[in-house]
Structure formats: C-alpha cells, structure tokens
Amino acid sequence: MAFNASKNLSDQIADYLVEQVVSLKIAPGERIMEEKLSKELGVSRSPVREAFRILEQTGLVEMIPRCGIRARAITEKSVEDYCDMFSLLLGHVARRCIEHGTDDEVRALKEIYLEMETHARKDDHERFHAALIRCVEVAIEATGNPVLEQVIRTIMPNLKRFQYIAILLKAGSLTDSFEYFRVILDALIHKDPEKGAEAIKAYIENEMKITLAHVKDSDLAQYIVNHEN
C-alpha cells in the first residue's frame, strides 16, 4: 500500500500499519517504534500515537507499559478464540447477505468468486487473499445491518492476518479451499441462507485446523506460540 498524506492522517497511518502486520512485514510480537515510523512516513509523532490507539482497539497490537507498542503475538488459544468469533459473525453475515443482498451486490459477489477460482487454480496466494477479503467486505455491506458491519470491522484486521497465514500454509491446496466457496456461491444463487452460513463455518473450521496443524512444521512456526505472552 502506498502511503499518501491526507486529512485523515491517523486513520491512514492505522491502515498502513494493518497492512504491514497482516502481511507479516511486522511480525507478531515485534515492537513498532513511534519515532522510527514517524520518520519513515514523514509525519509528526502525534498522528502516529493516535494511529496506535486506533489499532489497539482492534486487538491487532497491544500497548506494553514502559515499552511502547507491539504487534500482538499469535497463540494457539487466540487462533481458536478468533476463529470461534469469525464463525459466529461471518455465518450470520452469509445468512443476511443471501437474504437481503441486492442484485448488484449478488452480481459483484459472483464476479469475485470467479476471480478467486482463477487465483486458486494458479496457486496465487496473494491475489486469492485480496479477493477473499473483498468478498467479505461486499458481503458485509450486503447485510444491510450497520451495527453488524461495525462489529465485524473491529475484528477485520485480525481476520485478515489469520487468513493470510492460513493461505500461506496451503502450498498448492487453494483449489481445495475454494470448494467451500463453490458451495457458498450455490447457496447465494439458490437463496439458501442456512447452506451459506454452514459453508462459511465449515471453511473457517478448516482454516483453523490448517493453521494449528501445519504452522509448527513451516517457516511460520515463529509466529504462533503455545502460551500467552
């Protein structure tokens, strides 16, 4: 993400940091230095501090007394806890989206699904992840429930990070994961909200199992620990 100064400077800095943490350019547990970041972005330290406060509310980073701020470590329990919440909320999103989505929103979701299928066949993890997140964002808007949207957007940074790690661990199995979305697309076309909700829940359960089962045998082992720091 290119960084450009704007009137909403703190929000833009927060978005920049989310991308850095999600893509593991800032590793879980790594400290984020206020002075270094302000120099890197060419901004004063005040909006950087405000961006830290914004991110702290998402749970993606944490303030450490007398030590500043760091990207929150990923633990086995946090993976399980967040996936439990993702399953609950995104299952409801799927249900509401299928029930209330407009023709334009349904059309947009179909197009994204086709794009995801293309990326899955090419084993393009980065583009698959980007398309998946766009799919979630369109589905959230399609619920027509601004309260639900507000709640989910609070945990969205963590959803992006966990999904990014799970996708990196798949190594050649993106097409298997896409089968869940084929079921969701079918539920969308045939207006079957319960089928869509169950498919989302099954997908998230599968993602959690992939993350917990394979991360210790991969280069990403350093990102998940067995205990809370």
Side-chain angles (χ1 to χ4, degrees), residues 86-121:
F86 297 152
S87 179
L88 177 66
L89 291 176
L90 295 182
H92 190 55
V93 166
R95 187 180 295 108
R96 293 275 304 186
C97 173
I98 292 170
E99 291 173 343
H100 301 286
T102 66
D103 290 343
D104 286 343
E105 288 166 337
V106 170
R107 190 178 304 109
L109 286 169
K110 289 179 180 178
E111 291 175 355
I112 296 173
Y113 283 136
L114 292 174
E115 183 182 337
M116 288 172 63
E117 183 175 27
T118 298
H119 298 323
R121 287 177 175 173

mmCIF file of all heavy atoms in Angstrom, residues 86-121:
data_model
loop_
_atom_site.group_PDB
_atom_site.id
_atom_site.type_symbol
_atom_site.label_atom_id
_atom_site.label_comp_id
_atom_site.label_asym_id
_atom_site.label_seq_id
_atom_site.Cartn_x
_atom_site.Cartn_y
_atom_site.Cartn_z
ATOM 1 N N PHE A 86 -15.166 -15.520 14.392
ATOM 2 C CA PHE A 86 -15.354 -15.384 12.942
ATOM 3 C C PHE A 86 -16.487 -16.290 12.469
ATOM 4 O O PHE A 86 -17.306 -15.893 11.636
ATOM 5 C CB PHE A 86 -14.070 -15.766 12.197
ATOM 6 C CG PHE A 86 -12.881 -14.898 12.486
ATOM 7 C CD1 PHE A 86 -11.595 -15.412 12.380
ATOM 8 C CD2 PHE A 86 -13.032 -13.579 12.874
ATOM 9 C CE1 PHE A 86 -10.491 -14.628 12.643
ATOM 10 C CE2 PHE A 86 -11.933 -12.780 13.151
ATOM 11 C CZ PHE A 86 -10.655 -13.311 13.037
ATOM 12 N N SER A 87 -16.506 -17.515 12.974
ATOM 13 C CA SER A 87 -17.534 -18.473 12.568
ATOM 14 C C SER A 87 -18.922 -17.951 12.906
ATOM 15 O O SER A 87 -19.849 -18.012 12.086
ATOM 16 C CB SER A 87 -17.285 -19.816 13.256
ATOM 17 O OG SER A 87 -18.267 -20.752 12.894
ATOM 18 N N LEU A 88 -19.064 -17.436 14.107
ATOM 19 C CA LEU A 88 -20.354 -16.918 14.557
ATOM 20 C C LEU A 88 -20.795 -15.718 13.724
ATOM 21 O O LEU A 88 -21.915 -15.684 13.188
ATOM 22 C CB LEU A 88 -20.261 -16.521 16.032
ATOM 23 C CG LEU A 88 -21.513 -15.895 16.656
ATOM 24 C CD1 LEU A 88 -22.644 -16.916 16.704
ATOM 25 C CD2 LEU A 88 -21.208 -15.378 18.056
ATOM 26 N N LEU A 89 -19.905 -14.741 13.588
ATOM 27 C CA LEU A 89 -20.281 -13.492 12.911
ATOM 28 C C LEU A 89 -20.387 -13.653 11.395
ATOM 29 O O LEU A 89 -21.348 -13.171 10.778
ATOM 30 C CB LEU A 89 -19.269 -12.396 13.249
ATOM 31 C CG LEU A 89 -19.281 -11.900 14.697
ATOM 32 C CD1 LEU A 89 -18.172 -10.885 14.915
ATOM 33 C CD2 LEU A 89 -20.629 -11.286 15.050
ATOM 34 N N LEU A 90 -19.419 -14.327 10.788
ATOM 35 C CA LEU A 90 -19.446 -14.448 9.330
ATOM 36 C C LEU A 90 -20.516 -15.422 8.861
ATOM 37 O O LEU A 90 -21.046 -15.290 7.753
ATOM 38 C CB LEU A 90 -18.072 -14.866 8.809
ATOM 39 C CG LEU A 90 -16.967 -13.830 9.031
ATOM 40 C CD1 LEU A 90 -15.656 -14.322 8.438
ATOM 41 C CD2 LEU A 90 -17.341 -12.480 8.433
ATOM 42 N N GLY A 91 -20.863 -16.383 9.708
ATOM 43 C CA GLY A 91 -22.003 -17.237 9.379
ATOM 44 C C GLY A 91 -23.271 -16.406 9.306
ATOM 45 O O GLY A 91 -24.104 -16.582 8.397
ATOM 46 N N HIS A 92 -23.407 -15.464 10.241
ATOM 47 C CA HIS A 92 -24.582 -14.575 10.223
ATOM 48 C C HIS A 92 -24.523 -13.619 9.032
ATOM 49 O O HIS A 92 -25.547 -13.325 8.419
ATOM 50 C CB HIS A 92 -24.652 -13.790 11.529
ATOM 51 C CG HIS A 92 -25.927 -13.029 11.702
ATOM 52 N ND1 HIS A 92 -27.167 -13.624 11.640
ATOM 53 C CD2 HIS A 92 -26.154 -11.694 11.912
ATOM 54 C CE1 HIS A 92 -28.113 -12.707 11.814
ATOM 55 N NE2 HIS A 92 -27.524 -11.537 11.974
ATOM 56 N N VAL A 93 -23.316 -13.158 8.690
ATOM 57 C CA VAL A 93 -23.162 -12.300 7.516
ATOM 58 C C VAL A 93 -23.638 -13.033 6.262
ATOM 59 O O VAL A 93 -24.369 -12.477 5.439
ATOM 60 C CB VAL A 93 -21.697 -11.854 7.336
ATOM 61 C CG1 VAL A 93 -21.472 -11.264 5.947
ATOM 62 C CG2 VAL A 93 -21.328 -10.812 8.380
ATOM 63 N N ALA A 94 -23.209 -14.287 6.108
ATOM 64 C CA ALA A 94 -23.614 -15.071 4.931
ATOM 65 C C ALA A 94 -25.128 -15.204 4.874
ATOM 66 O O ALA A 94 -25.745 -15.034 3.805
ATOM 67 C CB ALA A 94 -22.964 -16.451 4.979
ATOM 68 N N ARG A 95 -25.709 -15.486 6.017
ATOM 69 C CA ARG A 95 -27.167 -15.651 6.072
ATOM 70 C C ARG A 95 -27.879 -14.357 5.682
ATOM 71 O O ARG A 95 -28.774 -14.355 4.833
ATOM 72 C CB ARG A 95 -27.569 -16.084 7.488
ATOM 73 C CG ARG A 95 -29.033 -16.458 7.634
ATOM 74 C CD ARG A 95 -29.354 -16.878 9.052
ATOM 75 N NE ARG A 95 -28.666 -18.100 9.431
ATOM 76 C CZ ARG A 95 -27.646 -18.174 10.272
ATOM 77 N NH1 ARG A 95 -27.166 -17.057 10.819
ATOM 78 N NH2 ARG A 95 -27.079 -19.312 10.569
ATOM 79 N N ARG A 96 -27.477 -13.249 6.283
ATOM 80 C CA ARG A 96 -28.118 -11.956 5.999
ATOM 81 C C ARG A 96 -27.857 -11.506 4.567
ATOM 82 O O ARG A 96 -28.734 -10.938 3.918
ATOM 83 C CB ARG A 96 -27.587 -10.898 6.974
ATOM 84 C CG ARG A 96 -27.975 -11.089 8.416
ATOM 85 C CD ARG A 96 -29.321 -10.520 8.743
ATOM 86 N NE ARG A 96 -29.397 -9.091 8.404
ATOM 87 C CZ ARG A 96 -30.441 -8.316 8.689
ATOM 88 N NH1 ARG A 96 -31.481 -8.826 9.311
ATOM 89 N NH2 ARG A 96 -30.445 -7.044 8.356
ATOM 90 N N CYS A 97 -26.652 -11.748 4.086
ATOM 91 C CA CYS A 97 -26.296 -11.358 2.718
ATOM 92 C C CYS A 97 -27.186 -12.068 1.703
ATOM 93 O O CYS A 97 -27.688 -11.456 0.766
ATOM 94 C CB CYS A 97 -24.828 -11.680 2.468
ATOM 95 S SG CYS A 97 -24.308 -11.448 0.762
ATOM 96 N N ILE A 98 -27.375 -13.369 1.887
ATOM 97 C CA ILE A 98 -28.210 -14.146 0.972
ATOM 98 C C ILE A 98 -29.673 -13.694 1.055
ATOM 99 O O ILE A 98 -30.385 -13.645 0.046
ATOM 100 C CB ILE A 98 -28.080 -15.647 1.277
ATOM 101 C CG1 ILE A 98 -26.664 -16.121 0.915
ATOM 102 C CG2 ILE A 98 -29.118 -16.462 0.517
ATOM 103 C CD1 ILE A 98 -26.333 -17.523 1.387
ATOM 104 N N GLU A 99 -30.089 -13.325 2.245
ATOM 105 C CA GLU A 99 -31.481 -12.908 2.426
ATOM 106 C C GLU A 99 -31.751 -11.499 1.902
ATOM 107 O O GLU A 99 -32.833 -11.223 1.379
ATOM 108 C CB GLU A 99 -31.851 -12.961 3.920
ATOM 109 C CG GLU A 99 -31.940 -14.353 4.492
ATOM 110 C CD GLU A 99 -32.136 -14.358 6.002
ATOM 111 O OE1 GLU A 99 -31.878 -13.309 6.643
ATOM 112 O OE2 GLU A 99 -32.536 -15.389 6.544
ATOM 113 N N HIS A 100 -30.764 -10.593 2.027
ATOM 114 C CA HIS A 100 -31.022 -9.178 1.772
ATOM 115 C C HIS A 100 -30.173 -8.545 0.666
ATOM 116 O O HIS A 100 -30.369 -7.373 0.336
ATOM 117 C CB HIS A 100 -30.819 -8.374 3.060
ATOM 118 C CG HIS A 100 -31.696 -8.808 4.191
ATOM 119 N ND1 HIS A 100 -33.049 -8.519 4.241
ATOM 120 C CD2 HIS A 100 -31.425 -9.535 5.312
ATOM 121 C CE1 HIS A 100 -33.567 -9.037 5.348
ATOM 122 N NE2 HIS A 100 -32.609 -9.659 6.009
ATOM 123 N N GLY A 101 -29.222 -9.273 0.111
ATOM 124 C CA GLY A 101 -28.340 -8.694 -0.895
ATOM 125 C C GLY A 101 -29.091 -8.217 -2.129
ATOM 126 O O GLY A 101 -30.030 -8.883 -2.601
ATOM 127 N N THR A 102 -28.691 -7.066 -2.658
ATOM 128 C CA THR A 102 -29.303 -6.539 -3.880
ATOM 129 C C THR A 102 -28.745 -7.288 -5.090
ATOM 130 O O THR A 102 -27.753 -8.008 -5.011
ATOM 131 C CB THR A 102 -28.997 -5.042 -4.038
ATOM 132 O OG1 THR A 102 -27.576 -4.883 -4.242
ATOM 133 C CG2 THR A 102 -29.422 -4.257 -2.806
ATOM 134 N N ASP A 103 -29.404 -7.088 -6.238
ATOM 135 C CA ASP A 103 -28.935 -7.735 -7.467
ATOM 136 C C ASP A 103 -27.499 -7.325 -7.787
ATOM 137 O O ASP A 103 -26.684 -8.159 -8.215
ATOM 138 C CB ASP A 103 -29.855 -7.373 -8.637
ATOM 139 C CG ASP A 103 -31.225 -8.032 -8.522
ATOM 140 O OD1 ASP A 103 -31.356 -8.998 -7.737
ATOM 141 O OD2 ASP A 103 -32.165 -7.572 -9.212
ATOM 142 N N ASP A 104 -27.187 -6.037 -7.581
ATOM 143 C CA ASP A 104 -25.829 -5.557 -7.863
ATOM 144 C C ASP A 104 -24.813 -6.198 -6.924
ATOM 145 O O ASP A 104 -23.697 -6.558 -7.338
ATOM 146 C CB ASP A 104 -25.759 -4.029 -7.730
ATOM 147 C CG ASP A 104 -26.427 -3.317 -8.894
ATOM 148 O OD1 ASP A 104 -26.652 -3.973 -9.935
ATOM 149 O OD2 ASP A 104 -26.718 -2.114 -8.764
ATOM 150 N N GLU A 105 -25.167 -6.337 -5.660
ATOM 151 C CA GLU A 105 -24.251 -6.947 -4.688
ATOM 152 C C GLU A 105 -24.045 -8.432 -4.982
ATOM 153 O O GLU A 105 -22.931 -8.938 -4.903
ATOM 154 C CB GLU A 105 -24.793 -6.738 -3.273
ATOM 155 C CG GLU A 105 -24.681 -5.296 -2.802
ATOM 156 C CD GLU A 105 -25.507 -5.005 -1.572
ATOM 157 O OE1 GLU A 105 -26.487 -5.728 -1.303
ATOM 158 O OE2 GLU A 105 -25.185 -4.029 -0.865
ATOM 159 N N VAL A 106 -25.120 -9.111 -5.338
ATOM 160 C CA VAL A 106 -25.012 -10.526 -5.691
ATOM 161 C C VAL A 106 -24.144 -10.693 -6.935
ATOM 162 O O VAL A 106 -23.294 -11.587 -7.007
ATOM 163 C CB VAL A 106 -26.405 -11.142 -5.921
ATOM 164 C CG1 VAL A 106 -26.285 -12.537 -6.529
ATOM 165 C CG2 VAL A 106 -27.192 -11.193 -4.617
ATOM 166 N N ARG A 107 -24.330 -9.808 -7.901
ATOM 167 C CA ARG A 107 -23.520 -9.857 -9.126
ATOM 168 C C ARG A 107 -22.042 -9.635 -8.798
ATOM 169 O O ARG A 107 -21.164 -10.326 -9.332
ATOM 170 C CB ARG A 107 -24.015 -8.798 -10.113
ATOM 171 C CG ARG A 107 -23.400 -8.916 -11.514
ATOM 172 C CD ARG A 107 -23.965 -7.869 -12.463
ATOM 173 N NE ARG A 107 -25.406 -7.937 -12.543
ATOM 174 C CZ ARG A 107 -26.245 -7.034 -12.029
ATOM 175 N NH1 ARG A 107 -25.763 -5.966 -11.402
ATOM 176 N NH2 ARG A 107 -27.552 -7.183 -12.144
ATOM 177 N N ALA A 108 -21.779 -8.677 -7.916
ATOM 178 C CA ALA A 108 -20.394 -8.392 -7.528
ATOM 179 C C ALA A 108 -19.765 -9.595 -6.829
ATOM 180 O O ALA A 108 -18.601 -9.937 -7.080
ATOM 181 C CB ALA A 108 -20.350 -7.170 -6.609
ATOM 182 N N LEU A 109 -20.522 -10.255 -5.977
ATOM 183 C CA LEU A 109 -20.001 -11.430 -5.278
ATOM 184 C C LEU A 109 -19.717 -12.572 -6.250
ATOM 185 O O LEU A 109 -18.698 -13.260 -6.126
ATOM 186 C CB LEU A 109 -21.004 -11.884 -4.211
ATOM 187 C CG LEU A 109 -21.086 -11.001 -2.962
ATOM 188 C CD1 LEU A 109 -22.279 -11.386 -2.095
ATOM 189 C CD2 LEU A 109 -19.795 -11.110 -2.152
ATOM 190 N N LYS A 110 -20.585 -12.764 -7.217
ATOM 191 C CA LYS A 110 -20.355 -13.804 -8.232
ATOM 192 C C LYS A 110 -19.063 -13.539 -8.987
ATOM 193 O O LYS A 110 -18.279 -14.459 -9.259
ATOM 194 C CB LYS A 110 -21.537 -13.868 -9.200
ATOM 195 C CG LYS A 110 -22.815 -14.439 -8.606
ATOM 196 C CD LYS A 110 -23.941 -14.431 -9.643
ATOM 197 C CE LYS A 110 -25.224 -14.999 -9.061
ATOM 198 N NZ LYS A 110 -26.343 -14.951 -10.047
ATOM 199 N N GLU A 111 -18.831 -12.274 -9.335
ATOM 200 C CA GLU A 111 -17.614 -11.912 -10.063
ATOM 201 C C GLU A 111 -16.361 -12.173 -9.218
ATOM 202 O O GLU A 111 -15.336 -12.650 -9.725
ATOM 203 C CB GLU A 111 -17.684 -10.445 -10.497
ATOM 204 C CG GLU A 111 -18.718 -10.176 -11.575
ATOM 205 C CD GLU A 111 -18.859 -8.695 -11.897
ATOM 206 O OE1 GLU A 111 -18.204 -7.879 -11.207
ATOM 207 O OE2 GLU A 111 -19.625 -8.363 -12.818
ATOM 208 N N ILE A 112 -16.454 -11.851 -7.927
ATOM 209 C CA ILE A 112 -15.310 -12.083 -7.043
ATOM 210 C C ILE A 112 -15.049 -13.577 -6.877
ATOM 211 O O ILE A 112 -13.906 -14.024 -6.863
ATOM 212 C CB ILE A 112 -15.527 -11.405 -5.672
ATOM 213 C CG1 ILE A 112 -15.603 -9.882 -5.831
ATOM 214 C CG2 ILE A 112 -14.379 -11.766 -4.718
ATOM 215 C CD1 ILE A 112 -15.990 -9.150 -4.561
ATOM 216 N N TYR A 113 -16.116 -14.367 -6.769
ATOM 217 C CA TYR A 113 -15.954 -15.810 -6.657
ATOM 218 C C TYR A 113 -15.212 -16.372 -7.871
ATOM 219 O O TYR A 113 -14.321 -17.217 -7.749
ATOM 220 C CB TYR A 113 -17.314 -16.498 -6.531
ATOM 221 C CG TYR A 113 -17.951 -16.386 -5.166
ATOM 222 C CD1 TYR A 113 -19.298 -16.079 -5.030
ATOM 223 C CD2 TYR A 113 -17.202 -16.596 -4.002
ATOM 224 C CE1 TYR A 113 -19.895 -15.972 -3.775
ATOM 225 C CE2 TYR A 113 -17.786 -16.492 -2.749
ATOM 226 C CZ TYR A 113 -19.130 -16.183 -2.644
ATOM 227 O OH TYR A 113 -19.698 -16.083 -1.396
ATOM 228 N N LEU A 114 -15.578 -15.890 -9.056
ATOM 229 C CA LEU A 114 -14.907 -16.355 -10.275
ATOM 230 C C LEU A 114 -13.432 -15.942 -10.269
ATOM 231 O O LEU A 114 -12.557 -16.704 -10.703
ATOM 232 C CB LEU A 114 -15.618 -15.801 -11.505
ATOM 233 C CG LEU A 114 -17.032 -16.344 -11.758
ATOM 234 C CD1 LEU A 114 -17.684 -15.611 -12.928
ATOM 235 C CD2 LEU A 114 -16.991 -17.846 -12.026
ATOM 236 N N GLU A 115 -13.176 -14.745 -9.777
ATOM 237 C CA GLU A 115 -11.794 -14.268 -9.669
ATOM 238 C C GLU A 115 -11.005 -15.133 -8.683
ATOM 239 O O GLU A 115 -9.853 -15.501 -8.945
ATOM 240 C CB GLU A 115 -11.794 -12.812 -9.213
ATOM 241 C CG GLU A 115 -10.419 -12.186 -9.123
ATOM 242 C CD GLU A 115 -10.464 -10.750 -8.626
ATOM 243 O OE1 GLU A 115 -11.524 -10.105 -8.756
ATOM 244 O OE2 GLU A 115 -9.445 -10.298 -8.088
ATOM 245 N N MET A 116 -11.628 -15.475 -7.558
ATOM 246 C CA MET A 116 -10.973 -16.326 -6.574
ATOM 247 C C MET A 116 -10.646 -17.693 -7.171
ATOM 248 O O MET A 116 -9.582 -18.257 -6.904
ATOM 249 C CB MET A 116 -11.873 -16.483 -5.339
ATOM 250 C CG MET A 116 -11.972 -15.237 -4.482
ATOM 251 S SD MET A 116 -13.211 -15.403 -3.165
ATOM 252 C CE MET A 116 -12.501 -16.745 -2.218
ATOM 253 N N GLU A 117 -11.557 -18.215 -7.972
ATOM 254 C CA GLU A 117 -11.324 -19.517 -8.602
ATOM 255 C C GLU A 117 -10.106 -19.469 -9.523
ATOM 256 O O GLU A 117 -9.276 -20.392 -9.531
ATOM 257 C CB GLU A 117 -12.552 -19.955 -9.384
ATOM 258 C CG GLU A 117 -12.408 -21.330 -10.013
ATOM 259 C CD GLU A 117 -13.681 -21.801 -10.681
ATOM 260 O OE1 GLU A 117 -14.482 -20.931 -11.116
ATOM 261 O OE2 GLU A 117 -13.885 -23.012 -10.779
ATOM 262 N N THR A 118 -9.985 -18.382 -10.280
ATOM 263 C CA THR A 118 -8.831 -18.213 -11.169
ATOM 264 C C THR A 118 -7.540 -18.175 -10.371
ATOM 265 O O THR A 118 -6.552 -18.846 -10.712
ATOM 266 C CB THR A 118 -8.974 -16.919 -11.990
ATOM 267 O OG1 THR A 118 -10.135 -17.014 -12.818
ATOM 268 C CG2 THR A 118 -7.745 -16.695 -12.859
ATOM 269 N N HIS A 119 -7.527 -17.409 -9.289
ATOM 270 C CA HIS A 119 -6.322 -17.298 -8.460
ATOM 271 C C HIS A 119 -6.006 -18.631 -7.778
ATOM 272 O O HIS A 119 -4.830 -18.974 -7.609
ATOM 273 C CB HIS A 119 -6.495 -16.210 -7.412
ATOM 274 C CG HIS A 119 -6.700 -14.835 -7.990
ATOM 275 N ND1 HIS A 119 -6.054 -14.424 -9.126
ATOM 276 C CD2 HIS A 119 -7.473 -13.789 -7.576
ATOM 277 C CE1 HIS A 119 -6.418 -13.170 -9.403
ATOM 278 N NE2 HIS A 119 -7.265 -12.774 -8.477
ATOM 279 N N ALA A 120 -7.047 -19.368 -7.384
ATOM 280 C CA ALA A 120 -6.832 -20.665 -6.742
ATOM 281 C C ALA A 120 -6.167 -21.639 -7.705
ATOM 282 O O ALA A 120 -5.236 -22.370 -7.337
ATOM 283 C CB ALA A 120 -8.159 -21.230 -6.241
ATOM 284 N N ARG A 121 -6.645 -21.661 -8.946
ATOM 285 C CA ARG A 121 -6.068 -22.574 -9.937
ATOM 286 C C ARG A 121 -4.616 -22.231 -10.258
ATOM 287 O O ARG A 121 -3.810 -23.115 -10.565
ATOM 288 C CB ARG A 121 -6.910 -22.532 -11.215
ATOM 289 C CG ARG A 121 -8.263 -23.229 -11.077
ATOM 290 C CD ARG A 121 -9.087 -23.112 -12.330
ATOM 291 N NE ARG A 121 -10.325 -23.881 -12.226
ATOM 292 C CZ ARG A 121 -11.290 -23.843 -13.121
ATOM 293 N NH1 ARG A 121 -11.159 -23.074 -14.200
ATOM 294 N NH2 ARG A 121 -12.377 -24.571 -12.969
#
